[in-house]
PDB file of all heavy atoms in Angstrom:
ATOM      1  N   ALA A 102     122.664 127.259 162.018  1.00 41.00           N
ATOM      2  CA  ALA A 102     122.895 128.130 160.888  1.00 41.00           C
ATOM      3  C   ALA A 102     121.644 128.822 160.762  1.00 41.00           C
ATOM      4  O   ALA A 102     121.736 130.069 160.309  1.00 41.00           O
ATOM      5  CB  ALA A 102     123.218 127.230 159.656  1.00 41.00           C
ATOM      6  N   ASN A 103     120.502 128.363 161.269  1.00 38.00           N
ATOM      7  CA  ASN A 103     119.202 129.067 161.326  1.00 38.00           C
ATOM      8  C   ASN A 103     118.730 129.614 160.053  1.00 38.00           C
ATOM      9  O   ASN A 103     117.962 130.513 159.834  1.00 38.00           O
ATOM     10  CB  ASN A 103     119.263 130.359 162.260  1.00 38.00           C
ATOM     11  CG  ASN A 103     119.156 129.792 163.683  1.00 38.00           C
ATOM     12  OD1 ASN A 103     118.408 128.857 163.959  1.00 38.00           O
ATOM     13  ND2 ASN A 103     119.990 130.355 164.629  1.00 38.00           N
ATOM     14  N   ALA A 104     119.120 128.872 159.005  1.00 38.00           N
ATOM     15  CA  ALA A 104     118.634 129.310 157.635  1.00 38.00           C
ATOM     16  C   ALA A 104     117.165 129.193 157.577  1.00 38.00           C
ATOM     17  O   ALA A 104     116.409 129.905 157.063  1.00 38.00           O
ATOM     18  CB  ALA A 104     119.279 128.515 156.582  1.00 38.00           C
ATOM     19  N   ALA A 105     116.652 128.054 158.239  1.00 38.00           N
ATOM     20  CA  ALA A 105     115.234 127.804 158.060  1.00 38.00           C
ATOM     21  C   ALA A 105     114.507 128.643 159.030  1.00 38.00           C
ATOM     22  O   ALA A 105     113.257 128.776 158.931  1.00 38.00           O
ATOM     23  CB  ALA A 105     115.046 126.331 158.427  1.00 38.00           C
ATOM     24  N   ALA A 106     115.084 129.263 160.003  1.00 37.00           N
ATOM     25  CA  ALA A 106     114.369 130.104 160.984  1.00 37.00           C
ATOM     26  C   ALA A 106     114.144 131.469 160.568  1.00 37.00           C
ATOM     27  O   ALA A 106     113.388 132.245 161.248  1.00 37.00           O
ATOM     28  CB  ALA A 106     115.154 130.051 162.400  1.00 37.00           C
ATOM     29  N   SER A 107     114.721 131.831 159.416  1.00 37.00           N
ATOM     30  CA  SER A 107     114.601 133.270 159.049  1.00 37.00           C
ATOM     31  C   SER A 107     113.321 133.917 158.917  1.00 37.00           C
ATOM     32  O   SER A 107     113.064 134.986 159.190  1.00 37.00           O
ATOM     33  CB  SER A 107     115.508 133.493 157.770  1.00 37.00           C
ATOM     34  OG  SER A 107     114.701 132.852 156.630  1.00 37.00           O
ATOM     35  N   GLY A 108     112.410 133.082 158.438  1.00 36.00           N
ATOM     36  CA  GLY A 108     111.050 133.805 158.233  1.00 36.00           C
ATOM     37  C   GLY A 108     109.974 133.293 159.228  1.00 36.00           C
ATOM     38  O   GLY A 108     108.901 133.677 159.033  1.00 36.00           O
ATOM     39  N   GLY A 109     110.378 132.680 160.308  1.00 35.00           N
ATOM     40  CA  GLY A 109     109.315 132.148 161.174  1.00 35.00           C
ATOM     41  C   GLY A 109     108.535 133.105 161.914  1.00 35.00           C
ATOM     42  O   GLY A 109     108.877 134.185 162.072  1.00 35.00           O
ATOM     43  N   GLY A 110     107.217 132.657 162.169  1.00 36.00           N
ATOM     44  CA  GLY A 110     106.376 133.579 163.047  1.00 36.00           C
ATOM     45  C   GLY A 110     105.450 134.414 162.176  1.00 36.00           C
ATOM     46  O   GLY A 110     105.679 134.606 161.025  1.00 36.00           O
ATOM     47  N   GLY A 111     104.397 134.775 162.792  1.00 36.00           N
ATOM     48  CA  GLY A 111     103.395 135.584 162.140  1.00 36.00           C
ATOM     49  C   GLY A 111     102.525 134.996 161.159  1.00 36.00           C
ATOM     50  O   GLY A 111     102.771 133.852 160.727  1.00 36.00           O
ATOM     51  N   GLY A 112     101.493 135.673 160.703  1.00 36.00           N
ATOM     52  CA  GLY A 112     100.529 135.079 159.796  1.00 36.00           C
ATOM     53  C   GLY A 112     100.708 135.486 158.344  1.00 36.00           C
ATOM     54  O   GLY A 112      99.920 135.339 157.558  1.00 36.00           O
ATOM     55  N   ASN A 113     101.835 136.197 158.141  1.00 38.00           N
ATOM     56  CA  ASN A 113     101.954 136.962 156.871  1.00 38.00           C
ATOM     57  C   ASN A 113     102.961 136.321 155.917  1.00 38.00           C
ATOM     58  O   ASN A 113     104.142 136.167 156.313  1.00 38.00           O
ATOM     59  CB  ASN A 113     102.231 138.408 157.100  1.00 38.00           C
ATOM     60  CG  ASN A 113     102.314 139.253 155.815  1.00 38.00           C
ATOM     61  OD1 ASN A 113     102.263 138.684 154.763  1.00 38.00           O
ATOM     62  ND2 ASN A 113     102.247 140.462 156.033  1.00 38.00           N
TER      63      ASN A 113
END
Side-chain angles (χ1 to χ4, degrees):
Chain A
N103 281 321
S107 62
N113 187 344

